[in-house]
Amino acid sequence: MNERPGAVAGTSVAEEVAAILSGLGVDKAAFTGGTRVVRSPLTGEAIAAVPETAPSEVAAVIGKAEAAFQAWRKVPAPQRGELVRLLGEELRAAKAELGRLVTLEVGKIVSEGLGEVQEMIDICDFATGLSRQIYGLTIATERADHRMMEQWHPAGVVGVISAFNFPVAVWSWNAALAFVCGDAVVWKPSEKTPLTALATQALFQRAAKRFGGVPDGLLTLLIGGREVGEALVDDPRVPVVSATGSTAMGRKVGERVARRFGRSILELGGNNASIVTPSADLDIALRAVAFAAMGTAGQRCTTLRRLIVHDSVYDALVPKLKKIYGAIGVGNPVTSDALIGPLIDKGAYEGMQKALGAARSAGGTVHGGGREREAEAPEAYYVRPALVEMPAQTGPVIEETFAPILYVLRYRSFEEAIALQNGVPQGLSSSVFATDMREVEGFLSATGSDCGIANVNMGPSGAEIGGAFGGEKETGGGRESGSDAWKAYMRRQTSAINYGRTLPLAQGVKFDVEG
Ligand code: NAD
């Protein structure tokens, strides 16, 4: 691993953050002098103090969004798409700055910080095209001289609650679609990452200014924690709540939204597995597993957490993997070319150590997992990724620990591998490494992987925006981003039109009255 100077030599992280925010047009009062201190996981230093929204203020914000929705729904969808196209342009122009801010606020390596912004640009392009393709069906009707069709109308105010680990991309998956669908968006970002949200809102405002006539309140921010989120979730003027985060959060949010018959799109925790079969290309498997398990310091919802390896290839794969785990660079991605940045905070580090302790108690052999760089950054939490050889899928293996821990299990029959893969409460992403088409197709069949995402000869992470993203079981069942995920941001209306001179009733029902 090579050390390199920070891009802005002699500048603290806090100074660089302030310069980026000001450059993007964020008012200084939005990130100084407030009650919520934001720390950079790179160094642990305080980089901003953000004023928070009080739960009692949420109703007024939603009222503003509701008024914006009333106007925005009347704008033709392709014009709404133009706003999103302009947002994509602003993101392209500010990619370096916003990507850098993602790195400084979340600790992602530089290419991943930029990749997060690229994902925002991609979904803006997708949504711009979608704005001319929002369509319903015309359906055959059993009644003469009738037409039946479905239309898609804007749903209303969409509440977006996002997690720290994709602080801005997840918002864009929701918001780009919601805007072209005619909705207003109230966004509650993670309390750990309000700065990238403030920067994104400033870029949205630039696009809105160029568009002209965007109703005030089309995008509003709620800065704060759970209480503010709950006020958003409970408001009946928010017909759709899209919540990304832990399963524990989704269980609460899903129940609360259901209580008032709202719609929720839940994108929750994963416990993703890859199966390495005897026919696998082991070079591809090795590289794919390294990225999927260690990338983003194990802090992706799609991070590879369980590696299920056939007995016959275990000794050809696992020792090489252990070597990579021991050698990979861990450190500050701004001042070095490390591929593994820090964990988000102390809580994440403690959660990781607890899981490793539980794995040892369950008979696991732990390689790595210790703290690194403590002397140079005592307030930051850098860890060596852990590879844990497990005798069985027990204890912490069936839970999601949001840290770089890869549990490795052996299997003997393909059926056993599928049973292990599916034998956890979560159902987000999965993959198989195989060149035997029976195993590939078996994995993708109805009796194969039970996850929302099933890949072949690649890891479970790193999805593109073109497909619908989400998972089953405790992952929540939501779908966002591409394909027809847009439908969740609209309300479907079925209409039957009688253009004849009689009134035939469906199912042959007779109800003739004297008129
Ligand atoms: P978290 O659950 O702690 O917080 C997520 C968001 O929910 C935050 O904005 C938080 O303030 C809010 N929140 C928490 N409790 C709430 C409540 N009762 N009501 C309303 N809002 C509430 O998650 P995190 O630590 O920020 O992120 C990591 C988790 O997110 C992991 O479990 C990861 O798998 C998951 N995740 C899932 C996806 C996906 O698409 N499936 C994507 C990214 C992250």
Side-chain angles (χ1 to χ4, degrees):
M1 194 179 85
N2 300 312
E3 303 293 328
R4 62 174 176 236
V8 186
T11 310
S12 72
V13 179
E15 285 166 336
E16 195 183 346
V17 164
I20 293 174
L21 288 170
S22 300
L24 293 177
V26 180
D27 190 348
K28 205 171 171 198
F31 59 92
T32 52
T35 44
R36 186 164 289 274
V37 174
V38 184
R39 294 185 179 279
S40 171
L42 298 176
T43 56
E45 72 185 87
I47 51 172
V50 178
E52 293 180 82
T53 314
S56 60
E57 292 168 336
V58 173
V61 174
I62 294 171
K64 215 171 138 188
E66 168 69 14
F69 162 67
Q70 301 290 341
W72 188 242
R73 65 182 173 172
K74 294 187 199 153
V75 176
Q79 284 182 36
R80 301 192 299 242
E82 173 61 8
L83 172 65
V84 174
R85 192 188 68 76
L86 292 172
L87 174 62
E89 276 190 4
E90 295 299 338
L91 287 164
R92 277 186 170 87
K95 182 174 171 182
E97 294 85 345
L98 187 55
R100 179 81 173 178
L101 198 57
V102 170
T103 290
L104 300 177
E105 191 176 39
V106 184
K108 290 191 182 191
I109 62 171
V110 174
S111 67
E112 287 194 59
L114 293 170
E116 171 136 7
V117 184
Q118 186 57 48
E119 202 166 340
M120 302 172 82
I121 294 167
D122 293 344
I123 192 71
C124 285
D125 287 354
F126 177 94
T128 303
L130 172 70
S131 71
R132 290 183 183 272
Q133 296 177 70
I134 292 172
Y135 51 78
L137 299 172
T138 304
I139 302 153
T141 149
E142 67 190 53
R143 288 167 284 186
D145 297 336
H146 277 58
R147 183 158 70 87
M148 186 158 62
M149 63 175 190
E150 64 182 21
Q151 298 190 86
W152 293 88
H153 293 307
V157 177
V158 174
V160 176
I161 295 172
S162 53
F164 81 83
N165 66 319
F166 276 94
V168 280
V170 162
W171 167 79
S172 69
W173 293 356
N174 288 280
L177 297 191
F179 291 141
V180 301
C181 289
D183 303 326
V185 172
V186 179
W187 179 18
K188 197 210 82 64
S190 165
E191 55 273 45
K192 294 175 187 173
T193 58
L195 304 179
T196 39
L198 289 167
T200 300
Q201 194 195 33
L203 291 172
F204 174 82
Q205 280 160 355
R206 279 186 185 170
K209 200 168 164 202
R210 284 170 65 201
F211 183 87
V214 172
D216 198 26
L218 193 66
L219 170 64
T220 44
L221 274 188
L222 302 174
I223 301 290
R226 184 176 50 78
E227 296 77 13
V228 179
E230 284 174 352
L232 174 65
V233 160
D234 287 342
D235 197 305
R237 293 170 297 173
V238 183
V240 181
V241 174
S242 175
T244 300
S246 58
T247 293
M249 176 279 288
R251 212 181 288 283
K252 291 193 191 110
V253 168
E255 281 177 14
R256 291 175 94 116
V257 175
R259 216 174 291 154
R260 60 174 179 83
F261 299 103
R263 183 188 303 163
S264 47
I265 303 168
L266 298 176
E267 299 283 348
L268 312 175
N271 189 357
N272 318 295
S274 289
I275 299 172
V276 185
T277 70
S279 70
D281 178 327
L282 292 183
D283 284 339
I284 286 189
L286 195 67
R287 278 187 287 136
V289 167
F291 169 65
M294 295 188 287
T296 329
Q299 299 172 113
R300 283 190 188 219
C301 52
T302 50
T303 289
L304 175 59
R305 307 203 180 278
R306 298 174 296 135
L307 187 64
I308 303 166
V309 186
H310 192 268
D311 206 30
S312 66
V313 289
Y314 195 97
D315 292 340
L317 181 74
V318 178
K320 282 188 187 157
L321 205 50
K322 274 193 249 173
K323 218 170 142 193
I324 294 174
Y325 265 70
I328 198 157
V330 176
N332 184 330
V334 170
T335 57
S336 76
D337 61 2
L339 290 176
I340 313 293
L343 293 176
I344 187 71
D345 56 20
K346 189 178 180 194
Y349 171 72
E350 288 171 350
M352 178 175 180
Q353 298 311 313
K354 196 170 154 220
L356 292 178
R360 282 190 193 96
S361 304
T365 307
V366 176
H367 308 276
R371 194 162 169 195
E372 300 210 349
R373 308 198 159 253
E374 195 175 348
E376 75 194 58
E379 303 294 324
Y381 293 87
Y382 291 91
V383 286
R384 177 138 307 270
L387 187 150
V388 184
E389 294 178 272
M390 288 297 293
Q393 185 159 276
T394 51
V397 187
I398 57 171
E399 292 158 17
E400 180 200 51
T401 300
F402 217 53
I405 303 176
L406 179 65
Y407 298 108
V408 186
L409 300 151
R410 282 179 197 262
Y411 80 91
R412 278 163 201 86
S413 75
F414 192 62
E415 293 67 33
E416 185 194 351
I418 295 287
L420 284 168
Q421 134 77 43
N422 293 345
V424 294
Q426 310 82 359
L428 179 53
S429 192
S430 60
S431 81
V432 70
F433 292 90
T435 55
D436 175 340
M437 60 91 87
R438 290 197 180 113
E439 292 185 329
V440 170
E441 293 293 341
F443 180 76
L444 298 178
S445 75
T447 55
S449 165
D450 66 358
C451 291
I453 299 170
N455 293 334
V456 178
N457 293 329
M458 62 176 80
S461 70
E464 297 176 28
I465 60 94
F469 182 92
E472 306 299 337
K473 302 193 290 187
E474 289 192 0
T475 303
R479 290 296 184 278
E480 286 176 357
S481 198
S483 186
D484 65 350
W486 59 270
K487 291 177 177 171
Y489 303 84
M490 304 200 84
R491 65 184 168 86
R492 184 195 309 239
Q493 186 172 69
T494 303
S495 303
I497 301 151
N498 177 5
Y499 57 89
R501 295 181 191 281
T502 59
L503 188 68
L505 301 180
Q507 295 90 41
V509 172
K510 298 287 176 215
F511 201 86
D512 294 329
V513 292
E514 297 296 324

